[in-house]
């Protein structure tokens, strides 16, 4: 790979070290395939007549990883990519995604990944996704992911997503349906600065008996940035749903949190929590007694908050 910006973005979003990933992988850079490998149990196939991939995980596959990072290293380019994940019954795998966008000029760098997850009975997936923007150009850096999940009975999907800085505009839409005894866990962390904008929109239907969802969002809005958090959990059966949004404001940052619940069954148990505030003064004071400046103390608190 001779694009140093792409290599840096890949290292930030998917721990790329210049060597081949340990597992199945597809590296997408500036709209093209920079490398692809399937394994015995994980097949990666390009979509016919379209932009994107079909990833097939064999039933019973255990302990394997699949990497699908996508990066843009120049302005004046935008793309929409469609990836479908077909997870066989009783499989247990980790999928590492991530997107980085970079611009040093006036043109916008934009990526939108449309992902669909189809989890077979008893399967388990841990999905890791990082988003980052870099570069000093005036063109906007945009990442607008859309995710749809379909969980069959006894399956489990954990999504750990983070926006770790530099993204000027992001709209993250996630929707899903959850079957009998299946569980969806989503943990997101978002940092915005300057005039950046970030919106999260969750919509989950708990259709199965004893199904569950846990949505946890932690965010920090700095400068004059603005964030929105919208979530809707619909309980259509005996189920357990939980939504939590915690945000810290710094400078003149703003956050609007609107969680919603709809219980359509007598045995649906749904809870939402939302908290927005500034960094606690006593926390800063405690760290300053350990020798940190006020700025260092605030940075340490924010880092710990987003990683919690």
């Amino acid at each position: 790979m001779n694009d140093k910006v792409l290599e840096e973005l890949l290292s930030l979003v998917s721990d790329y070290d210049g060597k081949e990933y340990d597992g199945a992988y597809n590296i997408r850079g500036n709209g093209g395939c920079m490398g692809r490998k399937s394994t015995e149990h994980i097949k990666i196939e390009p979509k016919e007549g379209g932009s994107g991939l079909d990833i097939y995980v064999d039933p019973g596959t255990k302990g394997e990883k699949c990497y699908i990072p996508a990066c843009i290293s120049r302005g004046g380019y935008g793309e929409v990519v469609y990836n479908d994940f077909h997870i066989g019954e009783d499989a247990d795998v980790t999928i590492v995604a991530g997107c980085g966008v970079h611009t040093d000029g006036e043109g916008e760098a934009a990526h939108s990944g449309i992902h669909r997850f189809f989890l077979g009975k008893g399967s388990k997936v841990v999905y890791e996704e990082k988003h980052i923007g870099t570069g000093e150009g005036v063109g906007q850096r945009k990442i607008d992911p859309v995710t749809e999940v379909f969980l069959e009975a006894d399956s489990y999907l954990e999504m750990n997503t983070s926006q770790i800085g530099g993204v000027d505009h992001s709209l993250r839409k996630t929707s899903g349906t959850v079957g009998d005894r299946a569980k969806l866990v989503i943990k997101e962390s978002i940092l915005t600065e300057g005039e950046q904008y970030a919106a999260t929109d969750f919509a989950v239907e708990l259709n199965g008996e004893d199904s569950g969802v846990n949505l946890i969002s932690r965010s920090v809005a700095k400068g004059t940035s603005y964030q929105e958090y919208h979530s809707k959990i619909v309980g259509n059966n005996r189920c357990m749903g939980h939504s939590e949004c915690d945000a810290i404001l710094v400078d003149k940052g703003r956050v609007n949190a609107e969680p919603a619940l709809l219980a359509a069954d007598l045995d649906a148990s749904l809870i939402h929590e939302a908290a927005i505030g500034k960094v606690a003064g006593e926390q800063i004071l405690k760290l300053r007694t350990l020798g940190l400046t006020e700025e260092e103390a605030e940075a340490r608190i924010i880092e710990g908050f987003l990683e919690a």
Side-chain angles (χ1 to χ4, degrees):
M1 186 180 296
N2 57 10
D3 188 325
K4 295 301 182 183
V5 174
L6 270 179
E7 287 194 34
E8 177 64 20
L9 290 173
L10 288 169
S11 70
L12 291 170
V13 301
S14 63
D15 299 323
Y16 179 74
D17 61 2
K19 302 177 182 178
E20 188 174 76
Y21 289 111
D22 182 21
Y25 66 83
N26 184 90
I27 303 173
R28 184 178 182 88
N30 296 325
C33 178
M34 311 293 292
R36 178 184 298 138
K37 185 183 80 172
S38 296
T39 63
E40 181 181 356
H41 301 296
I42 300 179
K43 304 297 188 296
I44 302 177
E45 300 178 359
K47 285 188 175 296
E48 294 185 8
S51 174
L53 304 167
D54 280 297
I55 297 95
Y56 298 93
V57 178
D58 290 342
T61 301
K62 304 291 183 183
E64 293 198 31
K65 286 188 175 182
C66 178
Y67 298 83
I68 55 158
C71 297
I72 297 173
S73 65
R74 56 182 172 84
Y77 181 79
E79 64 178 0
V80 179
V81 179
Y82 299 83
N83 294 330
D84 288 344
F85 301 85
H86 310 268
I87 313 300
E89 293 186 8
D90 297 315
D92 186 345
V93 297
T94 298
I95 297 171
V96 181
C99 178
V101 290
H102 175 96
T103 177
D104 280 327
E106 296 183 359
E108 177 182 279
H111 175 87
S112 180
I114 315 297
H115 291 175
R116 296 191 301 173
F117 290 84
F118 304 90
L119 271 65
K121 294 180 179 179
S123 63
K124 177 181 178 180
V125 172
V126 175
Y127 178 72
E128 307 282 349
E129 182 179 73
K130 295 179 181 178
H131 291 160
I132 191 168
T134 62
E136 301 298 328
V138 297
Q140 277 210 326
R141 293 167 287 272
K142 298 177 66 175
I143 302 177
D144 297 323
V146 177
T147 306
E148 300 177 26
V149 303
F150 305 90
L151 277 62
E152 293 190 24
D154 301 301
S155 61
Y156 175 89
L157 173 60
E158 178 180 323
M159 301 177 62
N160 300 311
T161 67
S162 63
Q163 184 171 301
I164 53 182
V167 180
D168 297 307
H169 180 282
S170 67
L171 174 56
R172 309 152 70 93
K173 293 185 177 182
T174 302
S175 62
T177 58
V178 186
D180 292 343
R181 299 173 302 282
K183 187 171 184 180
L184 172 62
V185 177
I186 300 178
K187 304 174 185 177
E188 74 165 11
S189 59
I190 299 175
L191 170 65
T192 55
E193 303 173 283
E195 298 179 355
Q196 295 169 355
Y197 169 79
T200 292
D201 189 349
F202 292 128
V204 178
E205 294 202 11
L206 299 172
N207 294 333
E209 188 174 272
D210 296 322
S211 57
V213 63
N214 190 15
L215 310 177
I216 301 174
S217 175
R218 292 182 179 271
S219 67
V220 176
K222 305 175 70 175
T224 59
S225 65
Y226 177 57
Q227 298 183 18
E228 295 184 60
Y229 174 87
H230 303 276
S231 69
K232 184 177 182 180
I233 300 175
V234 180
N236 292 321
N237 209 323
R238 186 176 69 200
C239 61
M240 176 68 73
H242 174 256
S243 171
E244 176 183 339
C245 172
D246 292 329
I248 289 178
L249 302 179
V250 181
D251 305 319
K252 296 183 179 180
R254 296 174 297 147
V255 174
N256 174 31
E258 296 183 356
L261 306 174
L262 173 58
D265 186 274
L266 185 64
D267 293 317
S269 179
L270 308 177
I271 302 169
H272 73 69
E273 305 172 71
I276 302 174
K278 63 181 181 179
V279 176
E282 61 269 20
Q283 292 178 295
I284 292 179
L285 180 61
K286 182 177 180 180
L287 289 176
R288 293 198 66 183
T289 63
L290 300 177
L292 276 66
T293 66
E294 184 172 347
E295 293 76 15
E296 290 171 336
E298 183 178 271
R300 185 74 61 84
I301 293 168
I302 289 173
E303 180 182 0
F305 173 76
L306 290 175
E307 292 180 352

